[in-house]
């Protein structure tokens, strides 16, 4: 709980009704992850933890700059449709995600919080069609931040290829967050087997990867060379970048 304590009261988990009444938020942040295998060396909670930490730290920075922001509890499960052959992997289907997001958006709207930012931590979550429909339906502002897709210049400098899943970026972040949960000796190379049908590899053609066939060690991207220091630098850059979004969205008179 210690790391949460210093985030009060931007974390709803720690805010009291009195605190929220005195400084009513106009912007809610919803961290949304997944709980799934990450190569053989990172914990299942990697994506949920990344989204949550980036959301809380960014909100803390943004609140210091006058944003009226509150971070909702993290949604721990995501779309794991192609990982159902892995142990204890819970899949939220798109209709489940839509139902959850609809209830979150409508609840906030009733309380006069009409700005919502989803901080996504999992590549398999695709909120685009959900948000299109819910913006129309609710009339509130909703944005999605895939935090790992921000600060690409720095990522390239730090990591070369940051990897896609349990690669050098995520491994560095986890070495920064909780080094005891990273088991580097167990890490595979995170290599990707091509599809059996070569025509599926070209740009503009897409089909989901049957994960265990395409990524035999359950990682996508080589985690070797990861360091806590580069994880810290990437984390701080992600938080600074998201904080700017939170400040601007919270303070904007008209959106978008
Ligand atoms: Zn991940």
């Amino acid at each position: 709980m210690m790391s949460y304590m210093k985030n009060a009261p931007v974390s709803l988990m720690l805010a009291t009704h009195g605190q929220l009444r005195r400084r009513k938020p106009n912007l809610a942040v919803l961290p949304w992850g997944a709980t799934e295998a990450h190569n053989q060396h990172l914990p299942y909670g990697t994506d949920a933890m990344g989204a949550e930490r980036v959301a809380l730290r960014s909100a803390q920075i943004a609140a210091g700059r006058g944003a009226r922001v509150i971070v909702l509890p993290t949604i721990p499960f995501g779309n794991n449709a192609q990982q159902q052959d892995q142990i204890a992997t819970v899949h939220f289907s798109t209709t489940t995600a839509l139902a959850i997001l609809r209830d979150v958006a409508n609840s906030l709207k009733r309380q006069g919080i009409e700005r919502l930012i989803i901080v996504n931590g999992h590549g398999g979550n695709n909120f685009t069609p959900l948000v299109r429909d819910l913006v129309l339906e609710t009339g509130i502002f909703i944005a999605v931040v895939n935090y790992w897709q921000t600060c690409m210049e720095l990522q390239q400098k730090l990591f070369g290829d940051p990897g896609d899943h349990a690669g050098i970026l995520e491994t560095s972040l986890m070495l920064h967050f909780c080094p005891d949960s990273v088991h580097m000796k167990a890490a595979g190379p995170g290599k990707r087997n091509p599809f059996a049908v070569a025509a599926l590899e070209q740009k503009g053609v897409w089909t989901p990867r049957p994960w265990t066939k395409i990524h035999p060690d359950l990682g996508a991207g080589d985690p070797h060379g990861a360091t806590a220091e580069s994880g810290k630098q990437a984390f701080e850059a992600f938080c600074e970048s998201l904080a700017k979004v939170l400040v601007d969205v919270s303070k904007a008179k008209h959106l978008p």
Side-chain angles (χ1 to χ4, degrees), residues 2-23:
M2 276 315 285
S3 65
Y4 282 89
M5 292 304 286
K6 64 177 194 270
N7 289 306
V10 295
S11 165
L12 185 63
M13 297 293 271
L14 293 169
T16 66
H17 192 240
Q19 285 170 330
L20 294 176
R21 253 197 343 247
R22 279 193 292 279
R23 197 163 179 283

Side-chain angles (χ1 to χ4, degrees), residues 49-230:
M49 197 181 295
E52 180 168 290
R53 298 229 177 177
V54 168
L56 284 170
R57 178 72 193 127
S58 306
Q60 196 181 36
I61 296 167
R65 296 176 192 165
R68 290 160 50 205
V69 57
I70 193 76
V71 180
L72 305 176
T74 303
I75 309 287
F77 298 124
N79 193 304
N80 283 112
Q82 273 66 50
Q83 279 100 348
Q84 287 301 285
D85 55 348
Q86 293 165 26
I87 302 162
T89 305
V90 174
H91 163 57
F92 270 8
S93 62
T94 302
T95 46
T96 302
L98 177 61
I100 291 169
L101 196 56
R102 175 180 283 129
D103 281 351
V104 170
N106 280 320
S107 301
L108 295 170
K109 187 183 176 184
R110 287 181 204 111
Q111 295 136 27
I113 302 172
E114 302 212 349
R115 298 168 188 205
L116 172 63
I117 292 182
I118 301 162
V119 176
N120 181 28
H122 171 57
N125 292 339
N126 182 356
F127 294 104
T128 309
L130 285 57
V131 169
R132 283 188 194 282
D133 286 1
L134 288 179
V135 165
L136 173 68
E137 194 179 305
T138 64
I140 74 167
F141 172 86
I142 308 175
V144 182
V145 174
N146 294 324
Y147 76 82
W148 73 91
Q149 290 173 343
T150 65
C151 312
M152 287 313 298
E153 221 168 280
L154 176 71
Q155 286 197 58
Q156 205 171 23
K157 207 180 95 197
L158 289 173
F159 307 118
D161 175 7
D164 170 34
H165 176 79
I168 192 168
L169 165 65
E170 278 194 324
T171 303
S172 296
L173 286 174
M174 292 304 285
L175 284 170
H176 173 50
F177 297 154
C178 51
D180 291 349
S181 302
V182 179
H183 308 280
M184 272 321 289
K185 279 193 186 131
K191 87 177 201 18
R192 178 189 192 282
N193 292 334
F195 287 122
V197 176
L200 294 174
E201 294 288 346
Q202 65 185 300
K203 241 190 155 130
V205 178
W206 182 84
T207 185
R209 287 168 278 178
W211 202 263
T212 43
K213 277 193 198 146
I214 302 291
H215 300 289
D217 58 23
L218 310 182
D222 190 357
H224 295 94
T227 66
E229 176 52 35
S230 51

